[in-house]
Amino acid sequence: MPQTFTDNQGNEWTLELTLGRARAIRGKLNLDLFNESDWQTLMSSLLDRLTYVFYLVSDQASERGVSIDDFDRALIGPGIPDKASDAFLDELVFFYQGLGQTKLGKLTKAFRDGTTKERQKFEEIDFDKMLEQTLNG
């Protein structure tokens, strides 16, 4: 089921992962979505996930005249990289489930749910108060 996110320019991007797209992107990024080591690499790197997102939307970007550098700039902003990554992870869960890869689907969903919870905890931290306490010792 295609997932979407919106960049800082108001462009809506649709992510649709198919076996053919995964095969093509594997050749470009040297990341095999069915290899558990490569899966761990992808989960541990926001940069790799966002690069994968660009390759998934590269046809849309070409149609819109958006270069990879333009796309990268359009990801700058509060929460935008996270939204793009979350859309990719949700699409990846759907992709795995559709192909009967239950273990990878569950692992990806657990990772996605965990990152959401961690971001929520991080957003609740009062950094100004921490800085003040540190400075006033």
Side-chain angles (χ1 to χ4, degrees), residues 30-64:
N30 198 29
L31 288 172
D32 180 350
L33 296 178
F34 298 102
N35 177 293
E36 289 185 26
S37 176
D38 288 348
W39 178 89
Q40 289 174 347
T41 298
L42 193 58
M43 294 304 113
S44 67
S45 172
L46 178 61
L47 179 61
D48 285 343
R49 289 193 305 276
L50 294 177
T51 303
Y52 213 102
V53 166
F54 177 76
Y55 281 114
L56 283 176
V57 302
S58 61
D59 291 343
Q60 295 166 63
S62 291
E63 291 170 7
R64 298 174 187 180

Side-chain angles (χ1 to χ4, degrees), residues 51-94:
T51 303
Y52 213 102
V53 166
F54 177 76
Y55 281 114
L56 283 176
V57 302
S58 61
D59 291 343
Q60 295 166 63
S62 291
E63 291 170 7
R64 298 174 187 180
V66 175
S67 71
I68 191 167
D69 292 331
D70 294 336
F71 183 79
D72 289 347
R73 282 189 287 278
L75 292 178
I76 297 171
I80 295 173
D82 292 332
K83 289 176 185 172
S85 176
D86 288 348
F88 170 65
L89 293 171
D90 290 342
E91 181 65 13
L92 191 54
V93 169
F94 182 77

